[in-house]
Every structure is written in structure tokens, then in C-alpha cells.
Amino acid sequence: MACKKRRKSPPSPAQPPREEPFRAPFKDLKSDWKRVNSDAPAKPPPTPLTPYEKARRAEQERRQRVAAVRQQREAEQELAAFRHAMSDVEPLAPDPRGQVGKSRRTNRAPLPSDEEISLAAFQDFVEGRSAFTIQFTDEYMEGSAPGVDPHVVQRLHHGDFAIQGQLDLHGYTVEEAKNLLDRFLNRAYSGGLRCLRLIHGRGKNSPDNRPVLKEHVQMWLSQGRLSRLVLAFVTAPVRDGGAGAAYVLLRRAGKPRSK
């Protein structure tokens, strides 16, 4: 009996190689972060400020606002003084050749140095020359350099001279007012200004209603460096500030105080 041949099964198709799964080690990081945050204790509410802390914080904010207003006012006053000093300046006509000429040098004398001031003050003392003639009360002050005609002081008090610049010292401390006045008068002198108005106030808000700034203004104008720039000063008339303001007449630039 013949044996039947066994059929061979067809070969199975080749299996593709197995791919390794994509590794993402941080895929669960977001869920872990949420879980940790949910388990964390709630942040306690901020502790309310005490009345003292509230008052202290309010005072600090007030001082910051006052300082900002002072800085802005000082900048505006300096800009106004500069613009007033330059108001009569006319630009030069352009050169038709397109050339720019050299700037002209002014013959205006520089401000006196500290050494010159000290030397002049010592010479005044040695030769017996008096300093400013001063009159001062709560309602009126007046000062004039040696040799100034009293008629000039009267005209200054009556407002006969045109006001060319103004400085308001309201709200400033004594030190701040001194620095402002020093810069203002030196700039006015360098710019050729003659008659200025100073607002120092009546001292109604100071202790004992004492006009502290007025007293210091009188001293600054009649002593030290600033006195070398001043011919006379006097309380302004009522229409222009009265006892709370003063007119100041400066020397002409280039004409130092006589020796």
C-alpha cells in the first residue's frame, strides 16, 4: 500500500520586529504636582496691620508724595527762570554759505570765588566798612549794601522795578530753601537779571507763629556769599505778597562790590 505524501504547510509570513514603547519619564509630573499642591496646607491669610503700622505706612506714602511734588516744583521753577532769562534771546540768521561761525564769548564777569569773598570781607573789616544796613520786624524787613541810595530801596519797596524772576520757598525746610535760593540767585546773576521776588511766607504754620524762613532769608541775603550779589532787599507791597514776600535787587554782572 502506497504511503501518501504529507503536504507541507506554507511558511508563515515574517513578523515585524516589536517596537520599544516611547519613554516619557515626565508625563506624570503635572499630575504629581497637582497632587502635592492639593495636599499642602492652605496659606494663612495675611495678618491685618495694627493702627500704628497703618499710620506709619500712610505717613511714608505722604512723605513720598510731598517729595515728588517738591522735586517737580523745583524743576518747574528752574525751567521758568531759565526761560525768562532767555526770553529776549534771538536766534542768529543762518549763514547763506552754510558755514557755522564760532560762538561769541560774553564779557560777563564770572561769579566771585570763595577766596575773593573771604578776602573782600576781611578787607571790609580792616578798613572799618559796615555791612548791610538792616531793619527787621515780623511785618517788615529791609536791607541795603553800603553806599546804596535809600531812594533806591524806597523805589524797590514800591514796586518800581520790573520783576524778572520768582522763587517760592513755601513748604521747604531751612536747608532745602537755602540750596534753592543759592542756585536761584547765582543763576539769575549769571543771566543778567536784576529784580527778583522771593516768597518766604509769614510763618503762620511754624511753632509760635515765628517767621523762620523770613529770618533766614534776611540773613542769607545780607551775609556770606549771596550778599556779594545783592544790592538791596525789602518787603514787598501788600498787593504783591506783603510780609510774606520780598523784592531783591541784584548787582549788575561784571560789577563786583566796591572795596
Side-chain angles (χ1 to χ4, degrees), residues 27-233:
K27 67 178 181 178
D28 297 329
L29 184 61
K30 187 174 183 181
S31 59
D32 293 342
W33 177 259
K34 290 182 178 179
R35 178 174 52 79
V36 171
N37 286 341
S38 62
D39 297 340
K43 184 179 294 186
T47 305
L49 298 177
T50 63
Y52 171 76
E53 292 174 338
K54 290 181 180 179
R56 184 178 181 183
R57 178 174 296 182
E59 178 63 18
Q60 290 176 349
E61 294 176 353
R62 187 192 67 81
R63 290 183 179 182
Q64 291 176 356
R65 291 194 300 269
V66 170
V69 171
R70 286 178 178 176
Q71 292 177 358
Q72 182 179 2
R73 183 167 57 181
E74 179 181 347
E76 291 175 353
Q77 289 176 348
E78 292 184 355
L79 180 60
F82 174 77
R83 287 178 175 174
H84 190 282
M86 302 298 292
S87 60
D88 57 346
V89 176
E90 298 180 359
L92 296 175
D95 193 328
R97 299 170 297 175
Q99 299 179 357
V100 179
K102 296 182 179 179
S103 60
R104 297 180 179 179
R105 294 184 177 180
T106 60
N107 295 325
R108 187 165 293 157
L111 296 176
S113 64
D114 292 334
E115 183 178 355
E116 292 172 342
I117 292 173
S118 300
L119 182 60
F122 179 74
Q123 188 170 357
D124 288 346
F125 173 76
V126 171
E127 297 180 4
R129 282 193 291 266
S130 60
F132 269 60
T133 302
I134 301 295
Q135 297 182 30
F136 187 87
T137 66
D138 289 344
E139 294 297 322
Y140 183 81
M141 72 174 180
E142 175 185 309
S144 58
V148 175
D149 189 343
H151 183 63
V152 174
V153 181
Q154 294 177 4
R155 290 185 57 200
L156 182 63
H157 175 64
H158 293 155
D160 293 344
F161 298 92
I163 305 300
Q164 299 174 305
Q166 174 175 294
L167 177 64
D168 189 352
L169 299 176
H170 268 119
Y172 291 99
T173 65
V174 172
E175 183 178 358
E176 292 170 340
K178 175 64 170 64
N179 294 332
L180 279 175
L181 182 61
D182 188 273
R183 290 199 299 266
F184 178 70
L185 291 188
N186 280 283
R187 186 171 297 179
Y189 177 85
S190 299
L193 305 185
R194 297 297 311 282
C195 188
L196 309 172
R197 178 172 177 250
L198 301 180
I199 303 175
H200 47 69
R202 295 173 175 264
K204 297 298 183 181
N205 297 326
S206 60
D208 301 327
N209 291 332
R210 179 184 173 189
V212 177
L213 272 185
K214 181 179 180 180
E215 295 175 358
H216 281 82
V217 166
Q218 175 265 321
M219 180 179 62
W220 295 332
L221 295 178
S222 59
Q223 301 176 17
R225 181 184 182 90
L226 293 182
S227 67
R228 314 301 294 185
L229 312 180
V230 177
L231 272 178
F233 59 89

